[in-house]
Amino acid sequence: MKVSIVTVLFAATGIANIIFPFVQPHCNSSSGIGCLRGQHCLSDGTCVSHHITRDATPREDGRCGDDFDGAACDPKGAYGGCCSDHGYCGKTVDHCLVANGCQSGCTNTAVTSPAPQPAPTKASPGNSNSEPVIAQPSSTDAATGPETTDGTCGAANGGATCGDWPQGGCCSMYGFCGKSTAHCGEGCQSGPCARAPISPALKAAPAPKNVKPGSFKVVGQSGVPAMHAALMPNGRAVFLDKVEDYTQVKLSNGRYAYSAEYDPISNTYSALAYRTNAFCSGGSFLPNGTLLDVGGNAPLTWLDDTVGDGFKGIRYLTRSSADASINGDDWSEPGNELDTARWYASCQSMPDGSMFVASGSLNGLDPTVLTNNNPTFEILNAKGVTSGQSITIELLVKAQPYYMYPFVHLLPDGTLFVFASKSSEVFSVAGQKTVKNLPDLPGDYRTYPNTGGLVMLPLTADNNWTPEVVICGGGAYQDITSPSDPSCGRMNPLAPDPEWEMDAMPEDRGMVEGTLLPDGTVLWVNGAQKGAEGFNLATDPALEVLIYDPAAPLGKRWTTGASSTIPRLYHSVALLLLDGTLMIAGSNPDQMPVVAPKFDPQGFHTEFAVEVYTPPYLSGDNAQRRPTDVVLSTLSLNADSSTFTIGFTAPSDAKAVKVALYHGGFVTHAVHMSQRMAFLGTNGWKAGARQQLITVTGPPNNNVAPPGPYVVYVVVDGVPGVGQFIMVT
Ligand SMILES: *[C@@H]1O[C@H](CO)[C@@H](O)[C@H](O)[C@H]1NC(C)=O
Ligand SMILES: *[C@@H]1O[C@H](CO)[C@@H](O)[C@H](O)[C@H]1NC(C)=O
């Protein structure tokens, strides 16, 4: 689809002015483009706030207030009688308190009382396009009620106790029976509670500055809020967002684009169309290199009636290193759907070319309600077609309300590491069952809405592909007052008796995401020191790069890198680029984009600036020591230990070479789905020679490297050359 890039950027954004010389300071009165939210455009091209109540009649869709013709909310209706700052009817303190921006129907109840749970009261509200917030739980001891009949308990459930409930006798702070540390630990309401304060597991441990801290640079604009991202086989990044009432770019049909393709060479973007709302979707690559994006949320027809319901959506994006003519092609949606609705699903590409898709909310409603949880997985085949079965994973049942966007990694024996809340296991997809329960990770919650980050460290031929996972960061509850957790756990899930080895980051941090680098270190970026995931729920942005060296001894693994000046809060991403730098984009902590801090309750805003972080390995003199002229003997590699050669030029005093095979996967909400790296065996390095021709042994099987697109980085004395795409089959 041909697109017209809207150059009408808001004059209020200074960065936009610098990058786009075509900024029009005034709005277009026929299209309305050019004004901030809550404003409209007069015929003379100036923007004014609308404060005219035109029709107070409540709307069917639960929207209200200034942006919706002054519509009021029906207190007896499906949503609640208060109109929030963002124009949503509801009845939580976020909707009703004037201090929180309530526009109409406000009830100024005490700010200190815990927020009521947003219970779905309407018979069939269908779904929600907002994000229900799990309020800070109350941990009143309520051990006096009847025994549970459905596994719910505690103050919010009539004081029910767990009794002999099979999953366990502790009533969690969120009102679920179980026996994990999330149930019996901090906040436990009744039953055999341990009650010991278990967070944080370790205090932050100061770390020295890296000798080469690296540097940040703003390079462009993302076009759309960068909620999801992936590096495509044409070397460009794709950004994918939800349906919004503003982005920087429009499609030829006059609607805002919600996806963009970003070229890191020219630092320009172009718009991509999609047909179903990809809000908080999951993704991974098919074996043929096509990116699949799955699940999402309800349509927002009053904003854009060309985009449909995304709960079961399956979207394809095909790019190729060999065919530039398809660059810019839109997402394709041939019409096949997921078996079950999934909002916040996680994906993992599997050894046989299929795709594991797990978890999600069935309807976007309150995650603390049992019937909203989709605690299952389904398998899509190599063409992205579902097997039509959604099979329960008990761990996701037990993790409620922390079941969304679970952490998943394919282990080198073909099983999966699955982690949600504070608990994890080894799961067999073929056997449809848990193979091994792993010990709970001490500390706070680690997955949505208090996510930390997970990486599986690079697999190496040298240690026979032994897997180790590292999880860092997290938080205590879904509120802006939540502390964040500085601790990390590291474990080999396949060890006979796995234990978490605990470590601490240099600072408390939530929404922190880990990206593997081809020198074997891990960069942890983005997030905040206080708060949680959800709209306007985080503050104290964490701006510093944290560098983790897994090979260093415990206590000496962390150093700190450069700091950005740009907060990267909820809905931010980080992607390793072909040239070995890290692209950082996003931060859209608002329900709908706001382009200036004054429109955000915490003084943040939707961030369109794209930054590149240059890691230590390309800083200073290192930039001159990169291997160059890298030529692979093949662009397609069987995962059967077959060999190929790589020619390149290296500094004549270089000492050693490593070859990293990297798959960046699909990135969203600090979760890097299917990310993995393998260091391959090499032969033939000639000390002192500038012209090198080495023989590389490929991965032994598809458990180590499932089929799909990878990048080969040649790393000489720790400095990577520019990566080259290769397909693993
Ligand atoms: C203003 O919007 C109208 C309607 O979308 C469009 O036809 C026109 O070209 C726009 N004017 C400018 C100056 O962009
Ligand atoms: C990969 O397979 C999908 C599903 O069959 C198809 O839509 C897509 O065009 C294929 N991609 C390539 C690069 O052939």
Side-chain angles (χ1 to χ4, degrees), residues 491-568:
M491 143 193 295
N492 169 4
L494 297 183
D497 217 350
E499 292 289 342
W500 289 105
E501 177 198 70
M502 299 305 291
D503 195 357
M505 293 185 285
E507 62 196 38
D508 303 351
R509 205 146 166 174
M511 297 189 280
V512 61
E513 56 193 289
T515 307
L516 304 173
L517 294 188
D519 67 349
T521 61
V522 188
L523 294 180
W524 297 82
V525 300
N526 298 346
Q529 288 178 293
K530 201 149 191 210
E533 292 176 290
F535 297 123
N536 309 122
L537 288 184
T539 186
D540 295 359
L543 301 170
E544 200 167 39
V545 174
L546 305 179
I547 303 164
Y548 181 81
D549 180 0
L554 181 63
K556 298 212 176 329
R557 292 179 185 148
W558 292 96
T559 53
T560 61
S563 288
S564 175
T565 54
I566 303 178
R568 302 288 182 179

Side-chain angles (χ1 to χ4, degrees), residues 94-105:
D94 290 339
H95 297 85
C96 293
L97 291 189
V98 174
N100 290 341
C102 174
Q103 302 188 51
S104 66

Side-chain angles (χ1 to χ4, degrees), residues 7-8 24 27-33 250 254:
T7 50
V8 185
Q24 300 172 10
C27 55
N28 179 333
S29 60
S30 37
S31 68
I33 298 174
K250 285 201 162 181

Side-chain angles (χ1 to χ4, degrees), residues 425-495:
E425 66 182 26
V426 177
F427 186 81
S428 161
V429 172
Q432 302 185 353
K433 61 167 200 261
T434 303
V435 180
K436 178 157 69 173
N437 289 302
L438 300 168
D440 280 0
L441 176 55
D444 284 335
Y445 293 103
R446 309 290 184 160
T447 54
Y448 179 87
N450 290 108
T451 198
L454 161 72
V455 295
M456 183 168 74
L457 296 176
L459 301 167
T460 80
D462 291 348
N463 70 5
N464 201 24
W465 319 106
T466 301
E468 283 190 280
V469 294
V470 177
I471 293 175
C472 290
Y477 48 84
Q478 192 184 19
D479 189 77
I480 194 157
T481 59
S482 172
S484 60
D485 193 322
S487 71
C488 303
R490 174 167 164 177
M491 143 193 295
N492 169 4
L494 297 183

